[in-house]
Amino acid sequence: MSLDPARDPLDVDALLDDPKTRIVVCCGSGGVGKTTTAAALGLRAAERGRTVVVLTIDPARRLAQSMGIDSLDNVPRRVKDVHGGGELHAMMLDMKRTFDEIVEAHADKERAGAILSNPFYQSLSAGFAGTQEYMAMEKLGQLRSRDEWDLIVVDTPPSRSALDFLDAPKRLGSFLDGKLIRLLMAPAKMGGRAGMKFLNVGMSMMTGALGKLLGGQLLRDVQTFVAAMDTMFGGFRKRADATYRLLQAPGTAFLVVASPERDALREAAYFVERLAADDMPLAGLVLNRVHGSGAAELSAERALAAAENLEASSAGENLEASGIVDQEGGNVGLGNSSESEAPGSPEASDSPETSGSSPSTEETDSGTGSGSGSDPGAGSGSASVEQLTAGLLRLHAERMRLLARERHTRDRFTALHPEVAVAEVAALPGDVHDLDGLRAIGDQLASTRP
Amino acid sequence: MSRLQVVSGKGGTGKTTVAAALALALATEGKRTLLVEVEGRQGIAQLFETEALPYEERKIAVAPGGGEVYALAIDPELALLDYLQMFYKLGGAGRALKKLGAVDFATTIAPGLRDVLLTGKACEAVRRKDKQGRFAYDCVVMDAPPTGRITRFLNVNDEVAGLARIGPIHNQAQAVMRVLKSPETSVHLVTLLEEMPVQETVDGIAELRAAQLPVGRVIVNMVRPTLLDEAELDLGLGRTPRTAIAKTLAAAGLGGARGAAGRLVDPLLAQAAEYAERHALEGAQRAVLAGHGLPLHELPLLADGLDLAGLYELAAELRTQGIA
Ligand SMILES: Nc1ncnc2c1ncn2[C@@H]1O[C@H](COP(=O)(O)OP(=O)(O)OP(=O)(O)O)[C@@H](O)[C@H]1O
Ligand SMILES: Nc1ncnc2c1ncn2[C@@H]1O[C@H](COP(=O)(O)OP(=O)(O)OP(=O)(O)O)[C@@H](O)[C@H]1O
Ligand SMILES: [Mg+2]
Ligand SMILES: [Mg+2]
């Protein structure tokens, strides 16, 4: 693919090789390839010698399996069959386990037991809106502080709104600074004078409302939970704030992943702006599943015109066209018009160039008769070369249109955000579900060189 | 037909698009549908090319044949205040709660409350009747969270009902659950003919069924047109002499068989091979989906991207396929 020289290409290998790069975060809208990109970057970095852990959140199962992590154990596991001197570890975030571990690490045994068996806690930790983001932050902080890996690649969940996890510390903070938590933590004071003093206005309405809303027993569960967690909230916030700052630090690189489509790039633009607003270091944009063509010199219009040309002539000029191919081979269609286009048509014959695979040769050999014209419908052998060629041209026209559309969308993004470096990854014909697939993506990622 | 149609699927497969097309398709003559979104993304407004939707049901489209589509972006905070006002006449307390941070707590931190409010609001619209006792909407279509979260999202009321064993939240949660687990609800899954979305769909079906949530249809979106038929593919895959193709290209006026036309052969065949690989993969995924005994529908990939006209096209397609 020819790159617009004005554009700043993203040098992925330089980023991955730089020992100062410690965290890479892949974000982007739904289904664009965040998980695939994160895994591919991790593998590539490992194969270039680094000790890497990929933290994936809610990964596609097949991809997880391809890296050998099919069970949720919340512990980084070494991925086998990684070439080169580095190491690749991968883990899936298990929210509940992460939360439990924090409780166990920061509360004494008795208190931890009380928290872990609290029904409110059990629901909270099992992953309701919001928990995932806090736990992702926690896990990232933990991994970073252990210093066992020199590179952490983070995949982000398909989130409600783009960068929910960046908001996690702030949300936690506003909750902890709010009056609600004091209200919840001071059940004893609730009716009492002390309570009235700082909660004053609307207080009686408040407790009434809360009780009414939650039901007495749930309110008690919440209060017990909050009281038990009391000493831990501060730690949560401290760590969330620290992780937030870590993300802003120079060792972190955000990559926004997008497909070359209008909506995905619109969302990508939003990510870029949001990251800038939060002072998060953006390394660049990964434009994933871009189409190219080896025959880009042939325009869609010419290809289509030629295809039409061929189809028109193939209708009338079967005999002439048959001169193009040699006449070995029979007509498998044998006058059965509905089957006449079935696989194994005559051109499967042995020409010097086609080192025909044995099954096809056999089919051809078993064909009988010369059968030209035995089929008035469509399938007479000679017409097929023209049909095939017309089909190839139509396919090409479609590809060229897609390519033009993708370029156009991409260029609109780069015009708005010329400062953003871009790496393009070709759309692979198959799905990505093994290390080789990830390697291929990695090669693509790194092929956009300055 | 179910009056609450929930549309889920893997990220980016077209949940918002299909939900909107479905709302249009279901708004046949004289009918009124409500399209709701729950993730605060303003996806509906973008699709219908209107300004951001407020927390208010408003008409956004007239369907072919005269039915009407209303839309609502459910905001959990406002839904909570709405709910307090509606059931407890607690409008004033709402403000106090907000000041305390209780609304924030309820809508972002408290387990499940956010989702209870979102599904609760949708169910309220499903059950709402006008003064004559007719349903306010013939049908409510929800642009729901992705497959990975859908079961939990819909099932949250069960969990909450267990958590708050008595009281209004308990009752509300149970009422919502009665709608969601009844034939009044259908959960559709949108997918692409690719391995991962299909895998997620299969997993999603199993999860929904295990939670006794009613799975409706599988909608395969962005289906690519057949550009080379089987016979051509078969021919293209190395069975046809390159020279024959080169000569044919030359005959079509694309340069000399040994020159410009000849140079096209390899890249064109490479594109055909890629196409064939995709095509085979798509066929295999289609077979996987067919194995689940659910009605399957296919919507075409609109080559020039999706605009409002395209949306109507998809709606018409859904009607033709008898989904409405
Ligand atoms: N360059 C590529 N070529 C071909 N297929 C690709 C490519 N990149 C990703 N895919 C495929 O696209 C699909 C979506 O990829 P992936 O699951 O990584 O996206 P995601 O952004 O993590 O999605 P989600 O938002 O659901 O988490 C998968 O089926 C994957 O195999
Ligand atoms: N049939 C189609 N033909 C062409 N483009 C389509 C089609 N369906 C959806 N799209 C496009 O695909 C993209 C994703 O669609 P949409 O936003 O509906 O998906 P979604 O599942 O709601 O995504 P998200 O997970 O981000 O909410 C959009 O750009 C949309 O315009
Ligand atoms: Mg993912
Ligand atoms: Mg959507």
Side-chain angles (χ1 to χ4, degrees):
Chain A
M1 260 144 291
S2 59
L3 283 165
D4 179 348
R7 224 147 35 91
D8 180 13
L10 171 63
D11 190 342
V12 169
D13 282 343
L15 179 72
L16 295 180
D17 290 346
D18 184 351
K20 290 197 288 294
T21 309
R22 303 298 301 273
I23 297 176
V24 172
V25 183
C26 299
C27 51
S29 56
V32 291
K34 296 178 290 296
T35 305
T36 308
T37 303
L41 287 170
L43 179 61
R44 188 168 183 90
E47 296 195 330
R48 296 174 69 87
R50 299 196 70 179
T51 306
V52 189
V53 61
V54 176
L55 169 60
T56 127
I57 299 155
D58 187 27
R61 192 148 49 118
R62 290 211 53 165
L63 185 62
Q65 283 169 349
S66 75
M67 295 193 297
I69 41 167
D70 40 23
S71 64
L72 280 161
D73 57 1
N74 211 28
V75 187
R77 287 227 232 139
R78 179 133 186 211
V79 177
K80 290 196 258 323
D81 302 321
V82 172
H83 307 156
E87 286 176 24
L88 177 62
H89 300 252
M91 67 166 291
M92 276 193 247
L93 178 74
D94 179 338
M95 279 177 282
K96 181 154 181 51
R97 287 290 294 276
T98 305
F99 210 150
D100 289 356
E101 283 163 16
I102 297 166
V103 170
E104 281 157 358
H106 295 274
D108 59 59
K109 217 167 172 185
E110 195 184 333
R111 191 188 279 241
I115 295 172
L116 297 179
S117 61
N118 182 295
F120 181 82
Y121 169 78
Q122 287 173 351
S123 283
L124 180 71
S125 61
F128 281 108
T131 316
Q132 196 174 46
E133 285 81 23
Y134 296 117
M135 291 309 134
M137 284 295 244
E138 278 280 352
K139 202 35 126 189
L140 177 57
Q142 281 176 17
L143 289 174
R144 183 66 178 84
S145 68
R146 273 163 66 185
D147 226 25
E148 266 173 60
W149 295 277
D150 53 47
L151 179 66
I152 304 169
V153 183
V154 187
D155 168 34
T156 57
S159 51
R160 277 175 291 133
S161 54
L163 288 167
D164 274 349
F165 69 98
L166 290 183
D167 293 327
K170 226 175 294 160
R171 253 199 257 139
L172 189 61
S174 80
F175 170 61
L176 295 177
D177 291 335
K179 291 181 188 155
L180 179 71
I181 186 152
R182 281 183 274 167
L183 171 72
L184 291 173
M185 270 199 282
K189 291 184 209 159
M190 276 225 289
R193 271 174 195 283
M196 291 305 284
K197 205 165 171 187
F198 78 90
L199 292 165
N200 55 56
V201 199
M203 174 61 202
S204 56
M205 219 153 102
M206 268 306 312
T207 37
L210 271 181
K212 239 178 166 178
L213 195 65
L214 300 176
Q217 154 263 329
L218 176 55
L219 185 59
R220 271 191 306 282
D221 283 347
V222 174
Q223 287 172 329
T224 325
F225 166 72
V226 172
M229 293 287 288
D230 180 13
T231 53
M232 277 163 29
F233 282 130
F236 264 115
R237 166 196 278 174
K238 236 174 56 214
R239 290 191 301 274
D241 286 344
T243 308
Y244 186 87
R245 282 193 304 276
L246 188 65
L247 288 175
Q248 290 175 322
T252 300
F254 279 84
L255 286 173
V256 175
V257 185
S259 53
E261 279 147 30
R262 193 192 49 190
D263 290 11
L265 278 168
R266 188 199 292 136
E267 202 128 328
Y270 168 77
F271 276 97
V272 167
E273 285 151 24
R274 175 68 214 270
L275 288 169
D278 277 53
D279 283 326
M280 297 287 166
L282 173 70
L285 174 80
V286 172
L287 202 54
N288 190 25
R289 305 191 87 167
V290 175
H291 291 85
S293 173
E297 71 274 14
L298 177 60
S299 72
E301 293 72 24
R302 271 190 80 206
L304 265 191
E308 274 158 23
N309 210 335
L310 283 175
E311 277 157 355
S313 69
S314 85
E317 296 172 36
N318 284 350
L319 287 176
E320 193 218 305
S322 73
I324 293 173
V325 215
D326 269 304
Q327 48 281 21
E328 312 106 302
N331 188 334
V332 178
L334 274 181
N336 176 346
S337 65
S338 69
E339 299 293 329
S340 64
E341 294 192 12
S345 295
E347 285 69 29
S349 58
D350 27 346
S351 90
E353 284 96 345
T354 9
S355 48
S357 59
S358 53
S360 70
T361 318
E362 267 164 39
E363 260 180 86
T364 312
D365 290 345
S366 67
T368 49
S370 69
S372 64
S374 70
D375 188 320
S380 107
S382 47
S384 295
V385 176
E386 297 190 327
Q387 275 176 356
L388 165 66
T389 308
L392 292 176
L393 288 166
R394 285 189 186 282
L395 196 61
H396 178 69
E398 198 53 42
R399 174 66 65 96
M400 291 307 289
R401 286 206 186 119
L402 179 62
L403 211 140
R405 207 161 52 235
E406 288 181 350
R407 288 241 165 109
H408 177 75
T409 336
R410 179 200 70 185
D411 290 347
R412 221 170 40 184
F413 176 88
T414 45
L416 285 172
H417 291 283
E419 77 285 5
V420 179
V422 180
E424 295 191 8
V425 175
L428 303 183
D431 276 346
V432 183
H433 54 238
D434 55 15
L435 291 184
D436 282 337
L438 291 176
R439 263 181 212 115
I441 299 275
D443 288 342
Q444 289 282 338
L445 273 164
S447 67
T448 323
R449 266 174 219 280
Chain B
M1 206 215 27
S2 307
R3 294 192 46 253
L4 176 60
Q5 310 245 342
V6 178
V7 180
S8 179
K10 182 172 157 63
T13 52
K15 295 179 290 297
T16 306
T17 307
V18 171
L22 189 56
L24 273 172
L26 292 168
T28 48
E29 200 173 335
K31 294 222 168 127
R32 182 182 288 172
T33 60
L34 178 68
L35 174 61
V36 299
E37 73 176 317
V38 294
E39 303 223 289
R41 300 255 304 264
Q42 290 293 341
I44 298 176
Q46 270 174 30
L47 196 53
F48 285 90
E49 296 164 16
T50 61
E51 70 227 51
L53 295 171
Y55 181 64
E56 178 191 294
E57 291 156 36
R58 51 166 64 172
K59 184 155 90 180
I60 48 159
V62 174
E68 295 173 326
V69 179
Y70 281 68
L72 171 68
I74 305 179
D75 175 273
E77 267 195 25
L78 296 172
L80 176 62
L81 299 182
D82 199 21
Y83 172 85
L84 291 175
Q85 176 57 25
M86 198 167 1
F87 292 97
Y88 307 107
K89 309 282 175 262
L90 280 174
R95 273 189 300 280
L97 279 168
K98 195 170 167 113
K99 235 167 120 188
L100 267 176
V103 171
D104 246 14
F105 174 79
T107 54
T108 60
I109 298 171
L113 263 188
R114 176 195 178 89
D115 296 349
V116 169
L117 289 162
L118 297 170
T119 48
K121 181 67 192 171
C123 287
E124 183 270 318
V126 169
R127 287 174 307 193
R128 193 189 311 150
K129 292 187 175 167
D130 63 16
K131 290 195 184 70
Q132 287 78 45
R134 285 182 312 231
F135 282 120
Y137 295 102
D138 295 284
C139 183
V140 176
V141 181
M142 180 193 283
D143 174 15
T147 340
R149 293 209 310 268
I150 187 66
T151 304
R152 188 159 201 106
F153 175 76
L154 295 176
N155 218 24
V156 62
N157 286 277
D158 241 12
E159 189 138 359
V160 166
L163 206 55
R165 274 157 291 183
I166 46 163
I169 290 204
H170 174 84
N171 298 342
Q172 158 79 2
Q174 286 215 315
V176 170
M177 231 44 236
R178 275 195 297 276
V179 174
L180 292 180
K181 291 200 170 167
S182 76
E184 272 209 281
T185 300
S186 269
V187 184
H188 309 305
L189 296 172
V190 183
T191 185
L192 309 178
L193 288 176
E194 289 175 15
E195 284 178 7
M196 287 181 190
V198 166
Q199 178 72 57
E200 268 203 42
T201 304
V202 169
D203 293 348
I205 293 170
E207 279 176 31
L208 287 163
R209 283 184 173 158
Q212 290 159 341
L213 288 159
V215 189
R217 301 163 188 269
V218 173
I219 295 151
V220 181
N221 190 25
M222 306 195 220
V223 175
R224 276 179 295 187
T226 302
L227 291 168
L228 287 179
D229 61 29
E230 300 287 338
E232 286 166 336
L233 277 179
D234 205 56
L235 279 171
L237 293 181
R239 297 221 203 158
T240 307
R242 283 172 155 68
T243 46
I245 298 173
K247 279 182 195 164
T248 315
L249 287 168
L254 295 174
R258 288 175 200 282
R263 280 194 301 275
L264 290 172
V265 177
D266 279 342
L268 290 186
L269 283 175
Q271 284 175 185
E274 283 179 20
Y275 176 86
E277 188 176 345
R278 266 286 153 206
H279 189 75
L281 196 148
E282 289 172 356
Q285 296 309 313
R286 203 178 255 122
V288 171
L289 290 172
H292 288 269
L294 292 170
L296 273 186
H297 298 270
E298 298 201 359
L299 291 175
L301 172 73
L302 300 178
D304 294 317
L306 195 112
D307 56 6
L308 210 46
L311 190 62
Y312 277 81
E313 229 174 279
L314 296 181
E317 186 59 41
L318 286 174
R319 274 195 197 178
T320 312
Q321 295 185 20
I323 203 168

